Amino acid sequence: MAGNTIGKLFTVTTFGESHGPALGCIVDGCPPELDLCEADIQIDLDRRRPGTSRHTTQRRELDEIKILSGVFEGKTTGTSIGLIVENTDQRSRDYEKIKDLFRPGHADYTYHHKYGIRDYRGGGRSSARETVMRVAAGAIAKRYLANQHNIQIRGYLAQLGPIKAEKLDWKVIEQNSFFFPDSEKISQLEAYMDALRKEGNSIGARINIVAMGVPSGLGEPVFDRLDADLAHGLMSINAVKGVEIGSGFEVVTQKGTEHRDPITPNGFLSNNAGGILGGISTGQDIIASIALKPTSSLRLPEQSINIHTEPVEVVTTGRHDPCVGIRATPIAEAMVAIILMDHLLRHRGQNGAKALE
């Protein structure tokens, strides 16, 4: 299976399945002498961890990270960093009844036709469980970016179904299980999710990510544009169906005089470009958004076919997130961090350390 690695200088390779014994990753290219221990990574894994709220899957995984290599006496050595998280709460029996059926909206159909074989337990490799290792690798990237270059990456749930955040209060985000920045709408979100679970349905969401303190000059101007790589990384997250940079699709209704960002001796006057011009960072905040589809694993019946192309009715049991966007904020932050880390090292390698001063 190809395509398990992202990055060129800072690379992340993940492995493992939803119901396998463990998930893991190899992080290559992290510079030496970065202070790093398991607790530094665990912080973000706990933010993503399932079973922490009635509004998410009730699969109870501790997601305890283990560092297998690349760290000695509390510092990175410059060698490959091996990470692993064991699965401890699989319930594969939930999938026995549908092992020969294709769940609508899932990768069952495409995996079967690509490989001729698939792990039907929780989706196997296609499960969002895979993202636990992205968050672990992203925590390393976030730590380096913050410690060495004062770059901060933060995200939040901007919209869940019809409910949009009207305020952005960074202090509120970590105080609720939704990563929502508008405290006045938390009770509305809870009521909406309670009704959705009773209905047996699911809903989509929008996540916004902001990278602050990014220096100008990161990115390559043709195929490896910074915005193109960010879109690649963010679109690779399970359930993501749309990525926007800056004003995104709002540019369709903007006139040129509205969209272009005026420049003065004191800096830019607006940021419709999302901190990237010509594929290269401007030094402004980098702003990206992702749209996540509704979960397709539902107890409500839907028509499909089985592996023999016979018509069937599919009902998915088991434990699933009624809105994957609720736990997606740490994942989106991680992917932005991984891409920025890779481009920072590429920029340093091409232009020297002075370019980042």
Side-chain angles (χ1 to χ4, degrees), residues 135 209 248 300 325:
V135 173
I209 313 98
L300 301 175

Side-chain angles (χ1 to χ4, degrees), residues 1-315:
M1 183 180 185
N4 295 296
T5 301
I6 193 167
K8 292 195 173 180
L9 291 187
F10 184 83
T11 65
V12 178
T13 303
T14 71
F15 61 88
E17 290 83 32
S18 176
H19 286 233
L23 297 109
C25 73
I26 301 294
V27 177
D28 261 325
C30 182
E33 298 190 339
L34 171 69
D35 291 333
L36 184 69
C37 66
E38 290 165 344
D40 298 323
I41 301 173
Q42 194 65 50
I43 293 172
D44 272 347
L45 291 184
D46 288 344
R47 294 172 68 222
R48 178 211 166 275
R49 188 162 57 88
T52 57
S53 157
R54 72 178 186 272
H55 307 300
T56 63
T57 172
Q58 292 307 294
R59 179 170 174 171
R60 303 288 180 175
E61 294 285 357
L62 295 178
D63 285 351
E64 292 183 344
I65 192 70
K66 294 180 182 178
I67 298 176
L68 304 179
S69 64
V71 177
F72 179 67
E73 295 183 343
K75 293 183 180 293
T76 58
T77 62
T79 59
S80 299
I81 301 174
L83 304 172
I84 195 168
V85 166
E86 294 182 357
N87 288 326
T88 60
D89 190 29
Q90 311 97 310
R91 276 200 338 216
S92 302
R93 64 182 181 275
D94 290 339
Y95 297 89
E96 287 289 338
K97 294 180 180 179
I98 59 171
K99 66 178 182 178
D100 293 329
L101 313 182
F102 297 131
R103 294 170 297 168
H106 279 277
D108 301 346
Y109 182 87
T110 50
Y111 266 56
H112 177 81
H113 283 79
K114 181 173 180 64
Y115 300 108
I117 186 173
R118 63 184 174 88
D119 184 347
Y120 60 84
R121 305 166 303 169
R125 185 71 176 142
S126 69
S127 169
R129 180 89 183 116
E130 178 267 343
T131 60
V132 67
M133 300 319 301
R134 300 175 186 230
V135 173
I140 297 173
K142 288 169 71 174
R143 187 166 181 79
Y144 183 87
L145 293 171
N147 289 6
Q148 301 299 319
H149 299 282
N150 199 29
I151 297 172
Q152 303 290 330
I153 300 167
R154 307 182 73 177
Y156 60 93
L157 177 67
Q159 181 176 354
L160 186 152
I163 305 172
K164 296 181 180 180
E166 302 295 338
K167 300 178 181 178
L168 175 54
D169 187 343
W170 291 107
K171 297 178 183 178
V172 172
I173 294 170
E174 299 295 332
Q175 296 175 0
N176 64 84
S177 59
F178 297 96
F179 298 98
F180 201 68
D182 188 343
S183 60
E184 294 180 4
K185 292 195 173 184
I186 302 300
S187 59
Q188 188 177 347
L189 284 173
E190 290 176 339
Y192 184 88
M193 290 304 301
D194 287 340
L196 192 72
R197 283 199 319 280
K198 291 179 181 178
E199 181 187 335
N201 221 326
S202 61
I203 195 67
R206 178 189 182 108
I207 304 292
N208 290 351
I209 313 98
V210 182
M212 296 165 276
V214 178
S216 58
L218 302 191
E220 308 296 339
V222 185
F223 296 115
D224 292 347
R225 298 162 62 100
L226 182 58
D227 43 0
D229 278 356
L230 284 169
H232 173 202
L234 290 169
M235 185 62 84
S236 74
I237 299 171
N238 313 63
V240 171
K241 302 304 289 184
V243 177
E244 293 184 340
I245 306 294
S247 293
F249 282 94
E250 289 184 15
V251 302
V252 174
T253 61
Q254 289 178 335
K255 294 181 179 179
T257 49
E258 297 173 295
H259 177 76
R260 63 184 180 180
D261 299 315
I263 310 173
T264 73
N266 295 320
F268 291 84
L269 297 183
S270 58
N271 192 11
N272 288 295
I276 301 171
L277 290 172
I280 301 171
S281 61
T282 64
Q284 298 169 275
D285 288 352
I286 290 178
I287 302 170
S289 300
I290 57 174
L292 298 108
K293 70 173 185 176
T295 311
S296 299
S297 294
L298 303 172
R299 67 172 188 261
L300 301 175
E302 186 57 272
Q303 58 183 337
S304 185
I305 60 173
N306 60 22
I307 59 175
H308 306 296
T309 68
E310 299 166 335
V312 295
E313 186 176 74
V314 177
V315 175

